[in-house]
Structures are given as C-alpha cells and as structure tokens.
Amino acid sequence: MRESRVEEEFARFAESAAGTFRPLPLHALPRRPRRRRLRVWLVGAVVAVLTVSGGAALRTAGRHDATPVPTPAPTPSPTPAGFSFVERPVVLAGASGPHHVRFADQQHGWVFYRNCTAAGSCDPRLGRTADGGRTWQARPLPDMRDPDGTTPEWGLVASDFERITLYSFSKIYWTTADAGATWTREDVAGYAARNPAPELAPAATDRFTTAGGRLMVDGVGDVGVAPVRAGTRIRDVVRTPTRSLWALLEREQVSGRALLVYSADGTSWQDVREEPGWTYLLPSADRGDIWYTGFLDGHLALLSAGKVIAQAAPPPLGLPHGIVPVGGGRLLVLTRDGLLVWSAGGVEPLAVPAPVQSWIGRLADGSVLIYDPRHKDGPVTVGTVGGGWVRYT
C-alpha cells in the first residue's frame, strides 16, 4: 500500500510538472541574432522530447543484444462517473472490540460483537441498521454460552432485515425470523437441511428442488421438466427473463465435470456443452446476462438462446468468489492489480480497497459486498459500480 501511494504521488507530480518544461514565450526571449535564436529553440525542442520520452532513445542507442525497452501499458480509463468511497465506523452502544458485520442490502445490515473483557468473560451484543450504517440499534440475543459457561466464536449470516443466523464452531446455529424477538436453536444437520453454507454466494443462481420429475424454482414454482441424465445431479439452475432455463449437471463419478443443458420453455432439454473441470453459471442480478466460465482453463462465455458465445479476451480469472456480473456485459473482477470493471471493450479501475484473497458477492438489491473470509471480524465494503461505496470498520 505504501509503494502504491508513493507511485500515485510521483504520477501526480509528473503531471503537474510536465507543464513547466516548456520553452519561454517569444516575447520573453532577449533579442539576439535570428540564427542563434533558432539554435536555442532546436536545442530546447530536443531536450523536451528526451524529457517526455524518459530518455528511451538514449537507453536504446548502442544496445545490440539487449531486449527492447517495453512499451508502457496504456493508462486505464477513468473511474466511472458517480463513484465515491467513504469509511464508516460501526458504533453500537455498550459494544466494543472485534465485531462481525454483514449486510442484506445497501441499507440493511447486522453487527455481532463478542464484547469480551481482558479477563476473558464475554457479553455478546447484536445490532442492526436500516440507514446504511449511520446508526445502529441493539437487538436481543439468546443465551449463547456453552455448557461450561464460555462464549464460543460466532459468525453471522444476514438473510434479510428480519431473518439472520448466528453460527459457532461448536456447530450450533441460532436463527431468528423476527429480528431477535425469538430465536430457534438447531444443530448443524438441521440447519444444513434447510439452508446453504453460511457464506455469501459469489453470484447466486436460483434455488431449486425437484419433485415428481418437475423442476421447482424458489419464488416461481413449477418451471418445467427436470433435466435428467444418467449419472448426474443438478448443480445450478438459472431462469432467464424470457422464461428459458439453463442448468449445470454435475457428473457424480467425476469431480467437477459438468454438462451444460438448455430449455427454451421448460418442456424439453438439449445438451449444449460438457466441460472436464469446474464450471459455473454466473447470472447478473436481472438475469439479463448469464456468464458461463471455467476457472481451470480460463474460458469465459455469455449464454444466449441456447448458444455459448465465447469472449475473445477474458479478464484474469481466479476463483468464482472473485467475480460478479454487474449487467450490461460487464463483470466486477478482483485481480492482483485491484478491483476492475471488465467488459469486452476494456477495463475501468475502482479505487476500492479489496485484498486479493477477499470474496465479493451480490446482495439482495444487486449491490456488492466485499469481505475477507480469513478474518471474520475484518472490515466489509458495500457498494455498486458507478455509485457509492462504504467500508465498515
């Protein structure tokens, strides 16, 4: 971070200083013979060219066996209009110390404090916000102590503004559907039977079940015949705005191997492509874009009307938790160079702090949450491409 700041300061200095390396205006030059004046202008022009080019011509001259000086990379396009970034501390009355923050959308979020003293005793606190973290209100908690009286490490999953789940490494889950007024305790088996893993999906596909050979999608119901292929199980399903369906069928005997299938109306399915490694469906929030990508071989494609449209120059792909579709043929991608908005036409940098090992995922309103899964109590960042971003500390 220190090196990047030094580079930024140097770049700003270079931009501001460039205008000072100019010949004096004609009226400011002393009157001398015309020939001498011409020599002065020629020398000044040569010096200016060498200054702007960084002396590349001098460094190249006389080199016979050296590698040519590389051409500087093109300057990325400016940060999208409307972008802003602020840091906002989480302040909950009576709470202090490490805290775990999660958001359901840009305005609604939750915070959990263990609130432990130096002596090791803990008095956990729970709070929520409805105004993007400007204010936080305390909410009641169940008795979360283990039988020996200690309070274990806990994590927080925010499903929406009323329903959240607290989970511990003791494999105990506490869930509330009324913002903490009442709580239900479950063991890991009971929780897993009803819920996905307690982490944010990178770009959520539709939740589905099968019943009687029919495919059922949450929020829609019966959408058609379930795709059935011997030796496979359905892994992902996406229903488009035109009611067509895409599904990934995972080979049960070959880890990661997947078959992509398509249905125009839910009455029948056609095989489209089979991949030897892990492949994912990544829909945008409005399902207008459905991306098809494999992170072992780096392929990237858009899916449309039963066809796979390959992208000629995909962005640097890491893992699925480092990429989120944001609509309009664009992807938000976490790379070693930072957070980028990628499209087939180029990239736009986003000046949002995001460690390389962060996870980025989409919230209920289409905004994006960034967090580091290695540090549960670390800061989280919420925002939208082309809009405001807030880092909660």
Side-chain angles (χ1 to χ4, degrees):
M1 181 65 73
R2 183 186 181 92
E3 292 178 358
S4 65
R5 288 179 179 172
V6 172
E7 292 172 358
E8 292 171 1
E9 292 297 330
F10 185 84
R12 283 195 291 271
F13 167 75
E15 292 175 359
S16 61
T20 66
F21 293 106
R22 299 173 181 169
L24 290 173
L26 184 62
H27 64 78
L29 291 173
R31 297 183 179 275
R32 292 185 173 86
R34 183 174 299 174
R35 184 174 300 175
R36 183 174 180 185
R37 183 187 305 167
L38 179 60
R39 288 200 300 269
V40 170
W41 275 96
L42 289 174
V43 171
V46 171
V47 170
V49 169
L50 291 177
T51 300
V52 173
S53 64
L58 292 177
R59 291 196 301 271
T60 306
R63 293 174 58 177
H64 303 289
D65 56 350
T67 303
V69 177
T71 302
T75 303
S77 56
T79 297
F83 171 86
S84 65
F85 175 80
V86 298
E87 290 200 354
R88 188 170 293 163
V90 176
V91 180
L92 179 64
S96 62
H99 49 281
H100 189 185
V101 179
R102 286 293 181 268
F103 274 77
D105 56 44
Q106 278 190 291
Q107 295 300 312
H108 301 96
W110 292 84
V111 62
F112 175 78
Y113 280 86
R114 293 192 70 219
N115 220 48
C116 298
T117 67
S121 61
C122 299
D123 179 23
R125 303 292 176 90
L126 179 69
R128 70 172 181 171
T129 179
D131 56 11
R134 294 174 178 82
T135 60
W136 294 84
Q137 295 77 41
R139 298 301 301 164
L141 277 169
D143 184 354
M144 303 170 62
R145 291 172 296 179
D146 276 349
D148 61 3
T150 62
T151 302
E153 292 283 353
W154 287 85
L156 169 65
V157 181
S159 299
D160 54 43
F161 195 44
E162 300 295 326
R163 179 182 175 84
I164 65 168
T165 296
L166 299 169
Y167 63 95
S168 78
F169 294 111
S170 304
K171 305 301 182 185
I172 298 298
Y173 294 83
W174 285 96
T175 299
T176 179
D178 51 15
T182 58
W183 292 87
T184 302
R185 176 172 170 163
E186 296 180 283
D187 61 16
V188 65
Y191 179 86
R194 298 186 301 101
N195 297 275
E199 288 294 357
L200 184 70
T205 52
D206 293 315
R207 295 190 61 183
F208 67 91
T209 58
T210 57
R214 306 293 293 180
L215 182 63
M216 316 293 290
V217 173
D218 278 5
V220 179
D222 188 333
V223 297
V225 177
V228 177
R229 301 291 187 276
T232 69
R233 58 175 172 263
I234 307 173
R235 194 178 77 201
D236 289 323
V237 171
V238 176
R239 186 173 184 266
T240 75
T242 62
R243 299 186 178 182
S244 61
L245 294 156
W246 290 93
L248 275 179
L249 308 183
E250 185 177 12
R251 295 290 185 189
E252 295 179 341
Q253 302 302 321
V254 183
S255 177
R257 193 176 188 93
L259 174 66
L260 177 67
V261 296
Y262 171 78
S263 176
D265 55 9
T267 60
S268 61
W269 294 84
Q270 67 185 64
D271 296 356
V272 177
R273 180 176 294 185
E274 187 163 9
E275 300 289 347
W278 284 104
T279 304
Y280 297 86
L281 296 178
L282 301 179
S284 60
D286 62 0
R287 300 299 199 266
D289 291 346
I290 302 174
W291 297 86
Y292 176 67
T293 182
F295 291 87
L296 292 181
D297 57 11
H299 75 261
L300 179 71
L302 274 170
L303 302 180
S304 177
K307 298 185 181 301
V308 179
I309 306 170
Q311 302 299 296
L317 300 177
L319 292 173
H321 55 247
I323 179 171
V324 169
V326 291
R330 299 173 301 163
L331 298 170
L332 184 64
V333 185
L334 182 63
T335 73
R336 293 191 177 276
D337 296 323
L339 201 60
L340 305 174
V341 181
W342 176 92
S343 70
V347 298
E348 294 177 336
L350 283 182
V352 177
V356 173
Q357 296 192 34
S358 293
W359 282 30
I360 56 179
R362 191 171 56 232
L363 300 178
D365 59 354
S367 58
V368 174
L369 173 70
I370 303 174
Y371 68 100
D372 187 341
R374 301 168 303 163
H375 303 102
K376 182 174 75 258
D377 294 325
V380 303
T381 304
V382 179
T384 60
V385 173
W389 292 80
V390 180
R391 188 171 188 248
Y392 296 93
T393 59

